[in-house]
Amino acid sequence: MKKPQRQVVWLVTGSQELYGPGPLKQVAANSRVIARSLNGTKGIPMPIEFKSLLTTSEGVRALCLEANQDPECAGLVLWMHTFSPSRMWIGGLSLLRKPFAHLHTQFNRDLPWSEIDMDFMNLNQAAHGDREAGFIHARMRLPRKIIVGHWQDPEVRDRLCSWMRVVRGWHDAQGARFARFGDNMRRVAVTEGNKVSAEVLFGYQVDGYGVGDLVKAVDSVSDSEVDRLCAEYAELYDVAPSLRRGARRHRSLKDAARIELGLRAFLEAGGFKGFTTTFEDLHGLRQLPGLAVQRLMAEGYGFGAEGDWKTCALLRMMKVVGQGLPGGTSFMEDYTYHLHPSGSLVLGAHMLEICESIAAGKPSLEVHPLGIGGKEDPARLVFNAPAGAALNASLVDLGNRFRLIVNEVDVVEPPAPLPKLPVARAVWKCRPDFKTACGAWIRAGGAHHTAFSYSVTAEHLRDFAEIAGIEMLLIDRETRLAEFEKEIRWNEAYYHLAPIGRA
Ligand code: MN
């Protein structure tokens, strides 16, 4: 897949002319110190550059227009080092199309109690300068992230890096293309949605293709490429004996490799960042793409089964957000339950398509019959997902808006081996508990398909929802069903009244 372009975040400091050139020089120098120091934060997802010290309406307007136009600028961090009358920000901020964070910090950490004078006070006045900025952001109903604390505080840096990851995912979605082979699984509702609204709100486009377009790409793969890929499989996975070179079912593996190569070529040629398939439309393909989907997801492509383009785009965004963090991210489906009195568990899986980025160990490569789809037996990677904290996220279209539903879960080791289950799987406990979580999820209309991640957090998804202006409902340790149901009712009214999140 094409490497994403370089992205940066701009640190923009607000002040005014009132103070004269001396203090302003100091403000700019301090801003440079902060940017340089923040850049040294371990794991910072992209550089942060001190861009400008702004003291006039014209300057703010010019900077916001420049940010809109600069393809590298993923977002802005605004900070009022001194007082910056905020009416001068209205013109620029009303034009700004990039996300911003409001960093409420102060250059000096400690007050020099025995030395403090009015010069110190005037140089360190974010305490009220940022309140003036906060007012205009609130008055203009601008979506933004607010981060509070000293710029050397590790927690502040953590919040900032976390937000920068989301900005990276958002930037990646703008102009992104997703390919949809065939349509939706017939008669399924939750995977449907308004693609025009999604393009207006999220910035990506979803384009449909006949499966014949994919078949053409698959058929033009050479035998030598197929053999090379089969050799790569043999190195990476525990290949079932019957699938090995010269064995009885090796042709099934070759068919799967050919599908992978054809699908990758199609996606690369079109510059796509994700795709959907549907088992109801496979004319000309020998198998439902399983292994191919698993491996392409692991490379960073978004994916949704049964035409589920919303989950496909959400998964891609979450993969970009989580890139570089420990733990993988996969397409997932709540498949079946263990309703034991001592504690209920969910077994998540799909027919085939779980990303190998969440494999606990070396996956085994197997071929088994698949009852649906009416095709030959598909190859797939089989593995368990490791124990650890994770979450499920689902994006649904409620007709007048999109709703993002998130449930934090704790993945556990499967209580017993699953020797007859021929698919990759994850077993988890829902937070706060099974009954509350599932009751809330179903009340909210959450889908059976989700994007499942060990690396992306509820904070990431909240920041994403803020930027997109959509509703997010979180089911976590604190969730109480009665309060959750009230939140849904209040949101119903709020999203009819608020001028956001509609398209
Ligand atoms: Mn499904």
Side-chain angles (χ1 to χ4, degrees), residues 185 191 279 304-306 308 331-333 335 349-351 353 448-449:
M185 180 177 166
T191 47
F279 65 87
E306 292 103 43
D308 188 350
F331 177 73
M332 188 56 76
E333 179 169 298
Y335 221 112
H350 205 256
M351 287 185 296
E353 309 93 333
H448 54 296
H449 285 173

Side-chain angles (χ1 to χ4, degrees), residues 423-449:
V423 290
R425 59 273 176 156
V427 178
W428 64 77
K429 271 187 216 161
C430 300
R431 293 185 195 168
D433 60 76
F434 178 82
K435 287 179 179 172
T436 305
C438 294
W441 189 274
I442 284 168
R443 173 71 63 183
H448 54 296
H449 285 173

Side-chain angles (χ1 to χ4, degrees), residues 272-353:
F272 295 104
K273 291 177 172 174
F275 61 101
T276 72
T277 57
T278 169
F279 65 87
E280 286 174 334
D281 188 356
L282 296 171
H283 308 284
L285 289 180
R286 285 198 162 148
Q287 309 172 359
L288 173 63
L291 177 62
V293 173
Q294 292 180 292
R295 286 171 47 86
L296 287 163
M297 263 196 279
E299 281 174 30
Y301 284 98
F303 171 75
E306 292 103 43
D308 188 350
W309 56 271
K310 296 196 303 301
T311 304
C312 164
L314 178 66
L315 179 64
R316 163 67 187 186
M317 187 276 293
M318 287 169 62
K319 279 183 171 286
V320 175
V321 169
Q323 193 190 10
L325 294 174
T329 300
S330 176
F331 177 73
M332 188 56 76
E333 179 169 298
D334 291 74
Y335 221 112
T336 191
Y337 291 147
H338 179 61
L339 297 175
H340 195 268
S342 71
S344 297
L345 299 171
V346 181
L347 190 152
H350 205 256
M351 287 185 296
L352 307 167
E353 309 93 333

